[in-house]
Amino acid sequence: MGLEDAARFEQVFTAERLYVRGTTAKGSVDWMHVDRAGVKAERILKAPGNDPEFLLRQMLMGVRYRRLAAKDVDGVSATRYPGELTHAALALGMSPEARKKVDQMRDMTGGTIPATADVWLDRRGRLMRVRLQMDLEGMLLSTATLSPSGLGEPVQVRVPADAVEAETSSLV
């Protein structure tokens, strides 16, 4: 049983590994792990293994950010900074097959895939939300959003000791 059947799953990220377990209609998937560096992006704006760090790296590759008015984000005043995602950001970490498709998409759209990054920072400069979006009118809409919670609170991460090694392809 692979995670493609999972209805609900938990993940733990360490510097080297991604740990996952899930519950499906067919049963449960016990803790398993893969080498985090080996998980490749297969779809545009879909972080490999749902890795939040990957989405942040894409955001940092954005260009032409500008400051807009403050807005309430989860009860906190935050300033919005919209920008544009580069082709390099969209193709980041992709498998060769997926990269070829993204390159073809770029060529079909005349050299630029219309993709944006919106970043909201609170008054202390803390990240409140990131939204990456690509909109090919009438063809494809993709959005990835990250909203951190518990800012400034300590985090306890427990790495599953009984996780078994899995094939990277089971996490795609």
Side-chain angles (χ1 to χ4, degrees):
M1 176 182 328
L3 285 179
E4 65 274 4
D5 299 319
R8 181 177 186 276
F9 57 95
E10 300 171 68
Q11 295 177 285
V12 175
F13 294 90
T14 67
E16 299 84 23
R17 292 183 175 164
L18 163 57
Y19 295 84
V20 182
R21 76 173 170 186
T23 304
T24 72
K26 299 175 186 175
S28 64
V29 177
D30 292 330
W31 281 111
M32 60 180 155
H33 68 83
V34 296
D35 175 19
R36 193 171 172 183
V39 183
K40 300 295 180 196
E42 295 296 332
R43 293 182 224 46
I44 200 160
L45 295 186
K46 169 77 171 73
N50 297 315
D51 189 340
E53 183 180 324
F54 182 88
L55 186 140
L56 295 174
R57 288 197 327 257
Q58 286 182 301
M59 172 205 67
L60 290 171
M61 295 172 76
V63 295
R64 291 187 266 293
Y65 283 102
R66 63 190 191 284
R67 181 184 177 133
L68 295 182
K71 169 186 167 183
D72 185 72
V73 175
D74 297 329
V76 177
S77 178
T79 302
R80 179 177 167 220
Y81 295 87
E84 300 169 21
L85 288 175
T86 63
H87 184 72
L90 295 172
L92 180 68
M94 288 196 148
S95 68
E97 299 82 20
R99 174 67 189 246
K100 184 177 179 182
K101 291 177 186 177
V102 171
D103 290 347
Q104 289 171 341
M105 185 184 301
R106 176 194 57 201
D107 295 343
M108 287 177 19
T109 59
T112 303
I113 298 174
T116 58
D118 286 293
V119 181
W120 287 267
L121 301 177
D122 71 6
R123 292 181 183 165
R124 294 172 57 186
R126 296 181 302 186
L127 181 70
M128 298 301 296
R129 179 172 295 150
V130 175
R131 182 181 61 220
L132 307 182
Q133 188 170 30
M134 178 191 66
D135 188 359
L136 294 171
E137 293 180 28
M139 294 174 37
L140 182 63
L141 174 65
S142 181
T143 304
T145 305
L146 173 67
S147 298
S149 61
L151 296 174
E153 295 177 15
V155 176
Q156 292 283 336
V157 176
R158 291 192 178 96
V159 176
D162 58 346
V164 297
E165 189 167 0
E167 290 290 321
T168 303
S169 62
S170 66
L171 297 179
V172 176

